[in-house]
Amino acid sequence: MQNDLSYEERTAQVKLTQREKKIVGFIHEHGDSFLSDTITEFSEKAGVSDATMVRFCKHLGYKGYQDFKMRMAREMLPRDKQYNPELTQAD
């Protein structure tokens, strides 16, 4: 799977299991609130096991949970703040 695909594109291209659909639903419902969670915290909140979360990440082409979180954070951050969050349009 291509590394430049967004999360939405990745989830649209693969057949998800029921547990993976549960993860997707949790992310849609809670937005970026999971980005500061450990894998165990996220798994507990989403109602899946840590192993299911790792399999989900790898199924979508990420290296693991940390890679998934970093890429999701990058996608959720406005483009004008991606390289230096301290910069504004006026800088």
Side-chain angles (χ1 to χ4, degrees):
M1 188 166 297
Q2 296 179 352
N3 286 337
D4 59 346
L5 293 178
S6 72
Y7 165 77
E8 295 293 333
E9 292 168 325
R10 290 172 191 239
T11 56
Q13 286 188 351
V14 297
K15 182 169 173 37
L16 299 173
T17 66
Q18 284 303 110
R19 289 188 179 126
E20 290 172 333
K21 288 177 184 175
K22 193 173 186 179
I23 294 168
V24 170
F26 180 86
I27 291 169
H28 283 290
E29 189 174 315
H30 294 91
D32 65 356
S33 66
F34 75 93
L35 292 175
S36 62
D37 291 345
T38 65
I39 190 168
T40 301
E41 292 168 336
F42 180 90
S43 298
E44 287 176 3
K45 290 177 184 176
V48 298
S49 70
D50 291 5
T52 297
M53 189 62 208
V54 171
R55 285 191 298 270
F56 170 76
C57 295
K58 290 188 175 188
H59 188 197
L60 294 183
Y62 301 102
K63 294 176 186 172
Y65 182 67
Q66 284 302 115
D67 184 40
F68 170 71
K69 279 194 344 180
M70 288 189 312
R71 290 174 185 257
M72 288 295 289
R74 199 173 307 136
E75 284 184 36
M76 293 175 171
L77 190 65
R79 288 228 185 263
D80 63 336
K81 300 224 182 240
Q82 283 188 4
Y83 296 104
N84 187 344
E86 300 300 316
L87 291 177
T88 65
Q89 289 289 349
D91 289 338

PDB file of all heavy atoms in Angstrom, residues 7 10-11 23-24 27 34-35 42 53 56-58 60-76:
ATOM      1  N   TYR A   7      -5.458   8.390   5.699  1.00  0.00           N
ATOM      2  CA  TYR A   7      -6.176   7.405   6.508  1.00  0.00           C
ATOM      3  C   TYR A   7      -7.508   7.048   5.855  1.00  0.00           C
ATOM      4  O   TYR A   7      -7.855   5.880   5.750  1.00  0.00           O
ATOM      5  CB  TYR A   7      -6.381   7.980   7.915  1.00  0.00           C
ATOM      6  CG  TYR A   7      -7.393   7.242   8.738  1.00  0.00           C
ATOM      7  CD1 TYR A   7      -7.080   6.023   9.324  1.00  0.00           C
ATOM      8  CD2 TYR A   7      -8.672   7.750   8.927  1.00  0.00           C
ATOM      9  CE1 TYR A   7      -8.012   5.333  10.070  1.00  0.00           C
ATOM     10  CE2 TYR A   7      -9.611   7.071   9.681  1.00  0.00           C
ATOM     11  CZ  TYR A   7      -9.275   5.856  10.250  1.00  0.00           C
ATOM     12  OH  TYR A   7     -10.203   5.176  10.984  1.00  0.00           O
ATOM     13  N   ARG A  10      -6.932   4.879   2.864  1.00  0.00           N
ATOM     14  CA  ARG A  10      -6.501   3.537   3.257  1.00  0.00           C
ATOM     15  C   ARG A  10      -7.681   2.703   3.733  1.00  0.00           C
ATOM     16  O   ARG A  10      -7.805   1.539   3.367  1.00  0.00           O
ATOM     17  CB  ARG A  10      -5.454   3.615   4.364  1.00  0.00           C
ATOM     18  CG  ARG A  10      -4.115   4.151   3.900  1.00  0.00           C
ATOM     19  CD  ARG A  10      -3.190   4.373   5.087  1.00  0.00           C
ATOM     20  NE  ARG A  10      -2.014   5.116   4.703  1.00  0.00           N
ATOM     21  CZ  ARG A  10      -0.776   4.666   4.848  1.00  0.00           C
ATOM     22  NH1 ARG A  10      -0.537   3.506   5.387  1.00  0.00           N
ATOM     23  NH2 ARG A  10       0.242   5.401   4.477  1.00  0.00           N
ATOM     24  N   THR A  11      -8.541   3.283   4.588  1.00  0.00           N
ATOM     25  CA  THR A  11      -9.669   2.512   5.113  1.00  0.00           C
ATOM     26  C   THR A  11     -10.679   2.185   4.015  1.00  0.00           C
ATOM     27  O   THR A  11     -11.377   1.185   4.107  1.00  0.00           O
ATOM     28  CB  THR A  11     -10.379   3.235   6.278  1.00  0.00           C
ATOM     29  OG1 THR A  11     -10.799   4.530   5.865  1.00  0.00           O
ATOM     30  CG2 THR A  11      -9.484   3.328   7.497  1.00  0.00           C
ATOM     31  N   ILE A  23     -12.864   0.198  15.533  1.00  0.00           N
ATOM     32  CA  ILE A  23     -11.783   1.177  15.693  1.00  0.00           C
ATOM     33  C   ILE A  23     -12.066   2.409  14.841  1.00  0.00           C
ATOM     34  O   ILE A  23     -11.947   3.547  15.306  1.00  0.00           O
ATOM     35  CB  ILE A  23     -10.420   0.555  15.324  1.00  0.00           C
ATOM     36  CG1 ILE A  23     -10.054  -0.542  16.329  1.00  0.00           C
ATOM     37  CG2 ILE A  23      -9.336   1.625  15.274  1.00  0.00           C
ATOM     38  CD1 ILE A  23      -8.885  -1.411  15.904  1.00  0.00           C
ATOM     39  N   VAL A  24     -12.441   2.186  13.577  1.00  0.00           N
ATOM     40  CA  VAL A  24     -12.753   3.304  12.672  1.00  0.00           C
ATOM     41  C   VAL A  24     -13.894   4.141  13.242  1.00  0.00           C
ATOM     42  O   VAL A  24     -13.836   5.374  13.251  1.00  0.00           O
ATOM     43  CB  VAL A  24     -13.099   2.785  11.254  1.00  0.00           C
ATOM     44  CG1 VAL A  24     -13.652   3.899  10.384  1.00  0.00           C
ATOM     45  CG2 VAL A  24     -11.878   2.157  10.605  1.00  0.00           C
ATOM     46  N   ILE A  27     -12.647   6.309  16.097  1.00  0.00           N
ATOM     47  CA  ILE A  27     -11.859   7.454  15.609  1.00  0.00           C
ATOM     48  C   ILE A  27     -12.778   8.525  15.033  1.00  0.00           C
ATOM     49  O   ILE A  27     -12.609   9.711  15.313  1.00  0.00           O
ATOM     50  CB  ILE A  27     -10.810   6.988  14.571  1.00  0.00           C
ATOM     51  CG1 ILE A  27      -9.741   6.142  15.280  1.00  0.00           C
ATOM     52  CG2 ILE A  27     -10.175   8.183  13.857  1.00  0.00           C
ATOM     53  CD1 ILE A  27      -8.804   5.408  14.345  1.00  0.00           C
ATOM     54  N   PHE A  34      -7.497  10.646  20.683  1.00  0.00           N
ATOM     55  CA  PHE A  34      -6.688   9.460  20.950  1.00  0.00           C
ATOM     56  C   PHE A  34      -5.199   9.680  20.728  1.00  0.00           C
ATOM     57  O   PHE A  34      -4.380   8.845  21.110  1.00  0.00           O
ATOM     58  CB  PHE A  34      -7.152   8.283  20.074  1.00  0.00           C
ATOM     59  CG  PHE A  34      -6.733   8.408  18.634  1.00  0.00           C
ATOM     60  CD1 PHE A  34      -5.555   7.847  18.189  1.00  0.00           C
ATOM     61  CD2 PHE A  34      -7.523   9.107  17.735  1.00  0.00           C
ATOM     62  CE1 PHE A  34      -5.173   7.970  16.864  1.00  0.00           C
ATOM     63  CE2 PHE A  34      -7.152   9.226  16.414  1.00  0.00           C
ATOM     64  CZ  PHE A  34      -5.966   8.657  15.983  1.00  0.00           C
ATOM     65  N   LEU A  35      -4.807  10.792  20.145  1.00  0.00           N
ATOM     66  CA  LEU A  35      -3.415  10.984  19.755  1.00  0.00           C
ATOM     67  C   LEU A  35      -2.434  10.987  20.925  1.00  0.00           C
ATOM     68  O   LEU A  35      -1.261  10.697  20.739  1.00  0.00           O
ATOM     69  CB  LEU A  35      -3.266  12.265  18.929  1.00  0.00           C
ATOM     70  CG  LEU A  35      -3.926  12.217  17.554  1.00  0.00           C
ATOM     71  CD1 LEU A  35      -3.828  13.570  16.874  1.00  0.00           C
ATOM     72  CD2 LEU A  35      -3.327  11.123  16.695  1.00  0.00           C
ATOM     73  N   PHE A  42      -5.842   3.529  24.242  1.00  0.00           N
ATOM     74  CA  PHE A  42      -6.709   3.598  23.060  1.00  0.00           C
ATOM     75  C   PHE A  42      -7.533   2.320  22.930  1.00  0.00           C
ATOM     76  O   PHE A  42      -8.743   2.372  22.703  1.00  0.00           O
ATOM     77  CB  PHE A  42      -5.893   3.823  21.791  1.00  0.00           C
ATOM     78  CG  PHE A  42      -6.748   3.895  20.553  1.00  0.00           C
ATOM     79  CD1 PHE A  42      -7.239   5.100  20.121  1.00  0.00           C
ATOM     80  CD2 PHE A  42      -7.087   2.749  19.856  1.00  0.00           C
ATOM     81  CE1 PHE A  42      -8.058   5.170  18.993  1.00  0.00           C
ATOM     82  CE2 PHE A  42      -7.894   2.795  18.737  1.00  0.00           C
ATOM     83  CZ  PHE A  42      -8.384   4.016  18.307  1.00  0.00           C
ATOM     84  N   MET A  53      -5.447  -3.686  17.681  1.00  0.00           N
ATOM     85  CA  MET A  53      -5.040  -2.345  17.264  1.00  0.00           C
ATOM     86  C   MET A  53      -3.782  -2.408  16.404  1.00  0.00           C
ATOM     87  O   MET A  53      -3.697  -1.739  15.371  1.00  0.00           O
ATOM     88  CB  MET A  53      -4.823  -1.463  18.504  1.00  0.00           C
ATOM     89  CG  MET A  53      -4.607  -0.017  18.184  1.00  0.00           C
ATOM     90  SD  MET A  53      -6.053   0.681  17.362  1.00  0.00           S
ATOM     91  CE  MET A  53      -5.272   1.949  16.397  1.00  0.00           C
ATOM     92  N   PHE A  56      -4.708  -3.780  13.032  1.00  0.00           N
ATOM     93  CA  PHE A  56      -5.415  -2.735  12.287  1.00  0.00           C
ATOM     94  C   PHE A  56      -4.414  -1.781  11.636  1.00  0.00           C
ATOM     95  O   PHE A  56      -4.510  -1.481  10.440  1.00  0.00           O
ATOM     96  CB  PHE A  56      -6.348  -1.982  13.233  1.00  0.00           C
ATOM     97  CG  PHE A  56      -6.964  -0.738  12.650  1.00  0.00           C
ATOM     98  CD1 PHE A  56      -8.007  -0.817  11.755  1.00  0.00           C
ATOM     99  CD2 PHE A  56      -6.500   0.519  13.027  1.00  0.00           C
ATOM    100  CE1 PHE A  56      -8.590   0.334  11.226  1.00  0.00           C
ATOM    101  CE2 PHE A  56      -7.075   1.672  12.511  1.00  0.00           C
ATOM    102  CZ  PHE A  56      -8.119   1.580  11.605  1.00  0.00           C
ATOM    103  N   CYS A  57      -3.467  -1.319  12.424  1.00  0.00           N
ATOM    104  CA  CYS A  57      -2.460  -0.380  11.892  1.00  0.00           C
ATOM    105  C   CYS A  57      -1.686  -1.009  10.739  1.00  0.00           C
ATOM    106  O   CYS A  57      -1.500  -0.388   9.692  1.00  0.00           O
ATOM    107  CB  CYS A  57      -1.499   0.046  13.001  1.00  0.00           C
ATOM    108  SG  CYS A  57      -2.276   1.012  14.313  1.00  0.00           S
ATOM    109  N   LYS A  58      -1.250  -2.229  10.930  1.00  0.00           N
ATOM    110  CA  LYS A  58      -0.472  -2.908   9.885  1.00  0.00           C
ATOM    111  C   LYS A  58      -1.332  -3.230   8.667  1.00  0.00           C
ATOM    112  O   LYS A  58      -0.855  -3.151   7.538  1.00  0.00           O
ATOM    113  CB  LYS A  58       0.187  -4.150  10.456  1.00  0.00           C
ATOM    114  CG  LYS A  58       1.300  -3.788  11.427  1.00  0.00           C
ATOM    115  CD  LYS A  58       2.088  -4.977  11.869  1.00  0.00           C
ATOM    116  CE  LYS A  58       3.247  -4.485  12.734  1.00  0.00           C
ATOM    117  NZ  LYS A  58       4.166  -5.563  13.058  1.00  0.00           N
ATOM    118  N   LEU A  60      -3.587  -1.439   7.483  1.00  0.00           N
ATOM    119  CA  LEU A  60      -3.703  -0.201   6.706  1.00  0.00           C
ATOM    120  C   LEU A  60      -2.371   0.268   6.131  1.00  0.00           C
ATOM    121  O   LEU A  60      -2.301   1.302   5.471  1.00  0.00           O
ATOM    122  CB  LEU A  60      -4.309   0.905   7.571  1.00  0.00           C
ATOM    123  CG  LEU A  60      -5.758   0.689   8.007  1.00  0.00           C
ATOM    124  CD1 LEU A  60      -6.256   1.892   8.791  1.00  0.00           C
ATOM    125  CD2 LEU A  60      -6.666   0.437   6.823  1.00  0.00           C
ATOM    126  N   GLY A  61      -1.299  -0.480   6.390  1.00  0.00           N
ATOM    127  CA  GLY A  61       0.004  -0.143   5.799  1.00  0.00           C
ATOM    128  C   GLY A  61       0.919   0.667   6.687  1.00  0.00           C
ATOM    129  O   GLY A  61       1.986   1.096   6.245  1.00  0.00           O
ATOM    130  N   TYR A  62       0.545   0.886   7.943  1.00  0.00           N
ATOM    131  CA  TYR A  62       1.418   1.587   8.879  1.00  0.00           C
ATOM    132  C   TYR A  62       2.378   0.583   9.496  1.00  0.00           C
ATOM    133  O   TYR A  62       2.103  -0.620   9.529  1.00  0.00           O
ATOM    134  CB  TYR A  62       0.597   2.268   9.982  1.00  0.00           C
ATOM    135  CG  TYR A  62      -0.403   3.274   9.461  1.00  0.00           C
ATOM    136  CD1 TYR A  62      -1.756   2.965   9.365  1.00  0.00           C
ATOM    137  CD2 TYR A  62       0.011   4.534   9.047  1.00  0.00           C
ATOM    138  CE1 TYR A  62      -2.678   3.889   8.887  1.00  0.00           C
ATOM    139  CE2 TYR A  62      -0.903   5.461   8.565  1.00  0.00           C
ATOM    140  CZ  TYR A  62      -2.245   5.133   8.485  1.00  0.00           C
ATOM    141  OH  TYR A  62      -3.147   6.042   7.998  1.00  0.00           O
ATOM    142  N   LYS A  63       3.505   1.060  10.017  1.00  0.00           N
ATOM    143  CA  LYS A  63       4.489   0.170  10.642  1.00  0.00           C
ATOM    144  C   LYS A  63       3.998  -0.358  11.978  1.00  0.00           C
ATOM    145  O   LYS A  63       4.400  -1.415  12.417  1.00  0.00           O
ATOM    146  CB  LYS A  63       5.815   0.904  10.830  1.00  0.00           C
ATOM    147  CG  LYS A  63       6.480   1.265   9.525  1.00  0.00           C
ATOM    148  CD  LYS A  63       7.729   2.079   9.761  1.00  0.00           C
ATOM    149  CE  LYS A  63       8.294   2.565   8.439  1.00  0.00           C
ATOM    150  NZ  LYS A  63       9.391   3.507   8.643  1.00  0.00           N
ATOM    151  N   GLY A  64       3.149   0.385  12.628  1.00  0.00           N
ATOM    152  CA  GLY A  64       2.623   0.010  13.936  1.00  0.00           C
ATOM    153  C   GLY A  64       1.803   1.158  14.495  1.00  0.00           C
ATOM    154  O   GLY A  64       1.481   2.117  13.775  1.00  0.00           O
ATOM    155  N   TYR A  65       1.493   1.087  15.773  1.00  0.00           N
ATOM    156  CA  TYR A  65       0.633   2.098  16.400  1.00  0.00           C
ATOM    157  C   TYR A  65       1.274   3.483  16.403  1.00  0.00           C
ATOM    158  O   TYR A  65       0.617   4.479  16.106  1.00  0.00           O
ATOM    159  CB  TYR A  65       0.275   1.656  17.824  1.00  0.00           C
ATOM    160  CG  TYR A  65      -0.645   2.613  18.536  1.00  0.00           C
ATOM    161  CD1 TYR A  65      -1.948   2.793  18.110  1.00  0.00           C
ATOM    162  CD2 TYR A  65      -0.204   3.341  19.647  1.00  0.00           C
ATOM    163  CE1 TYR A  65      -2.805   3.671  18.763  1.00  0.00           C
ATOM    164  CE2 TYR A  65      -1.056   4.218  20.302  1.00  0.00           C
ATOM    165  CZ  TYR A  65      -2.342   4.382  19.854  1.00  0.00           C
ATOM    166  OH  TYR A  65      -3.187   5.258  20.499  1.00  0.00           O
ATOM    167  N   GLN A  66       2.563   3.566  16.727  1.00  0.00           N
ATOM    168  CA  GLN A  66       3.232   4.880  16.764  1.00  0.00           C
ATOM    169  C   GLN A  66       3.234   5.536  15.392  1.00  0.00           C
ATOM    170  O   GLN A  66       2.980   6.737  15.265  1.00  0.00           O
ATOM    171  CB  GLN A  66       4.663   4.752  17.295  1.00  0.00           C
ATOM    172  CG  GLN A  66       4.743   4.560  18.794  1.00  0.00           C
ATOM    173  CD  GLN A  66       4.083   5.690  19.566  1.00  0.00           C
ATOM    174  OE1 GLN A  66       3.085   5.480  20.248  1.00  0.00           O
ATOM    175  NE2 GLN A  66       4.613   6.868  19.468  1.00  0.00           N
ATOM    176  N   ASP A  67       3.532   4.769  14.362  1.00  0.00           N
ATOM    177  CA  ASP A  67       3.520   5.289  12.995  1.00  0.00           C
ATOM    178  C   ASP A  67       2.119   5.772  12.637  1.00  0.00           C
ATOM    179  O   ASP A  67       1.946   6.854  12.060  1.00  0.00           O
ATOM    180  CB  ASP A  67       3.976   4.198  12.028  1.00  0.00           C
ATOM    181  CG  ASP A  67       4.089   4.667  10.593  1.00  0.00           C
ATOM    182  OD1 ASP A  67       4.551   5.804  10.361  1.00  0.00           O
ATOM    183  OD2 ASP A  67       3.729   3.879   9.688  1.00  0.00           O
ATOM    184  N   PHE A  68       1.112   4.993  13.006  1.00  0.00           N
ATOM    185  CA  PHE A  68      -0.282   5.372  12.775  1.00  0.00           C
ATOM    186  C   PHE A  68      -0.605   6.704  13.454  1.00  0.00           C
ATOM    187  O   PHE A  68      -1.152   7.609  12.833  1.00  0.00           O
ATOM    188  CB  PHE A  68      -1.189   4.249  13.300  1.00  0.00           C
ATOM    189  CG  PHE A  68      -2.648   4.605  13.354  1.00  0.00           C
ATOM    190  CD1 PHE A  68      -3.394   4.739  12.198  1.00  0.00           C
ATOM    191  CD2 PHE A  68      -3.280   4.789  14.574  1.00  0.00           C
ATOM    192  CE1 PHE A  68      -4.745   5.058  12.246  1.00  0.00           C
ATOM    193  CE2 PHE A  68      -4.626   5.094  14.639  1.00  0.00           C
ATOM    194  CZ  PHE A  68      -5.361   5.236  13.476  1.00  0.00           C
ATOM    195  N   LYS A  69      -0.243   6.840  14.734  1.00  0.00           N
ATOM    196  CA  LYS A  69      -0.536   8.078  15.462  1.00  0.00           C
ATOM    197  C   LYS A  69       0.182   9.281  14.851  1.00  0.00           C
ATOM    198  O   LYS A  69      -0.409  10.346  14.708  1.00  0.00           O
ATOM    199  CB  LYS A  69      -0.108   7.949  16.932  1.00  0.00           C
ATOM    200  CG  LYS A  69      -1.087   7.237  17.780  1.00  0.00           C
ATOM    201  CD  LYS A  69      -0.899   7.367  19.269  1.00  0.00           C
ATOM    202  CE  LYS A  69       0.393   7.865  19.795  1.00  0.00           C
ATOM    203  NZ  LYS A  69       0.436   7.946  21.255  1.00  0.00           N
ATOM    204  N   MET A  70       1.449   9.103  14.492  1.00  0.00           N
ATOM    205  CA  MET A  70       2.198  10.223  13.906  1.00  0.00           C
ATOM    206  C   MET A  70       1.591  10.673  12.585  1.00  0.00           C
ATOM    207  O   MET A  70       1.431  11.867  12.343  1.00  0.00           O
ATOM    208  CB  MET A  70       3.666   9.843  13.712  1.00  0.00           C
ATOM    209  CG  MET A  70       4.430   9.763  15.010  1.00  0.00           C
ATOM    210  SD  MET A  70       6.215   9.578  14.835  1.00  0.00           S
ATOM    211  CE  MET A  70       6.372   8.275  13.649  1.00  0.00           C
ATOM    212  N   ARG A  71       1.238   9.727  11.749  1.00  0.00           N
ATOM    213  CA  ARG A  71       0.642  10.091  10.453  1.00  0.00           C
ATOM    214  C   ARG A  71      -0.748  10.694  10.615  1.00  0.00           C
ATOM    215  O   ARG A  71      -1.116  11.618   9.902  1.00  0.00           O
ATOM    216  CB  ARG A  71       0.621   8.887   9.530  1.00  0.00           C
ATOM    217  CG  ARG A  71       2.016   8.503   9.076  1.00  0.00           C
ATOM    218  CD  ARG A  71       1.971   7.213   8.283  1.00  0.00           C
ATOM    219  NE  ARG A  71       3.285   6.767   7.939  1.00  0.00           N
ATOM    220  CZ  ARG A  71       3.821   6.904   6.717  1.00  0.00           C
ATOM    221  NH1 ARG A  71       3.141   7.489   5.761  1.00  0.00           N
ATOM    222  NH2 ARG A  71       5.023   6.464   6.473  1.00  0.00           N
ATOM    223  N   MET A  72      -1.516  10.172  11.570  1.00  0.00           N
ATOM    224  CA  MET A  72      -2.841  10.741  11.834  1.00  0.00           C
ATOM    225  C   MET A  72      -2.711  12.166  12.358  1.00  0.00           C
ATOM    226  O   MET A  72      -3.465  13.052  11.950  1.00  0.00           O
ATOM    227  CB  MET A  72      -3.606   9.880  12.831  1.00  0.00           C
ATOM    228  CG  MET A  72      -4.079   8.566  12.266  1.00  0.00           C
ATOM    229  SD  MET A  72      -5.307   8.753  10.962  1.00  0.00           S
ATOM    230  CE  MET A  72      -6.712   9.298  11.900  1.00  0.00           C
ATOM    231  N   ALA A  73      -1.758  12.401  13.247  1.00  0.00           N
ATOM    232  CA  ALA A  73      -1.542  13.748  13.778  1.00  0.00           C
ATOM    233  C   ALA A  73      -1.180  14.701  12.646  1.00  0.00           C
ATOM    234  O   ALA A  73      -1.679  15.828  12.583  1.00  0.00           O
ATOM    235  CB  ALA A  73      -0.444  13.729  14.835  1.00  0.00           C
ATOM    236  N   ARG A  74      -0.339  14.247  11.746  1.00  0.00           N
ATOM    237  CA  ARG A  74       0.069  15.077  10.610  1.00  0.00           C
ATOM    238  C   ARG A  74      -1.136  15.395   9.718  1.00  0.00           C
ATOM    239  O   ARG A  74      -1.283  16.518   9.242  1.00  0.00           O
ATOM    240  CB  ARG A  74       1.144  14.344   9.812  1.00  0.00           C
ATOM    241  CG  ARG A  74       1.940  15.256   8.921  1.00  0.00           C
ATOM    242  CD  ARG A  74       3.114  14.560   8.270  1.00  0.00           C
ATOM    243  NE  ARG A  74       3.968  13.893   9.235  1.00  0.00           N
ATOM    244  CZ  ARG A  74       4.465  12.665   9.074  1.00  0.00           C
ATOM    245  NH1 ARG A  74       4.210  11.976   7.990  1.00  0.00           N
ATOM    246  NH2 ARG A  74       5.234  12.132   9.988  1.00  0.00           N
ATOM    247  N   GLU A  75      -2.000  14.410   9.497  1.00  0.00           N
ATOM    248  CA  GLU A  75      -3.187  14.631   8.658  1.00  0.00           C
ATOM    249  C   GLU A  75      -4.175  15.585   9.316  1.00  0.00           C
ATOM    250  O   GLU A  75      -4.844  16.351   8.637  1.00  0.00           O
ATOM    251  CB  GLU A  75      -3.902  13.307   8.380  1.00  0.00           C
ATOM    252  CG  GLU A  75      -3.218  12.440   7.364  1.00  0.00           C
ATOM    253  CD  GLU A  75      -4.005  11.181   7.058  1.00  0.00           C
ATOM    254  OE1 GLU A  75      -5.251  11.234   7.032  1.00  0.00           O
ATOM    255  OE2 GLU A  75      -3.371  10.135   6.843  1.00  0.00           O
ATOM    256  N   MET A  76      -4.284  15.517  10.628  1.00  0.00           N
ATOM    257  CA  MET A  76      -5.264  16.331  11.351  1.00  0.00           C
ATOM    258  C   MET A  76      -4.796  17.760  11.578  1.00  0.00           C
ATOM    259  O   MET A  76      -5.605  18.645  11.814  1.00  0.00           O
ATOM    260  CB  MET A  76      -5.607  15.676  12.684  1.00  0.00           C
ATOM    261  CG  MET A  76      -6.353  14.380  12.508  1.00  0.00           C
ATOM    262  SD  MET A  76      -6.600  13.577  14.091  1.00  0.00           S
ATOM    263  CE  MET A  76      -7.700  12.262  13.631  1.00  0.00           C
TER     264      MET A  76
END
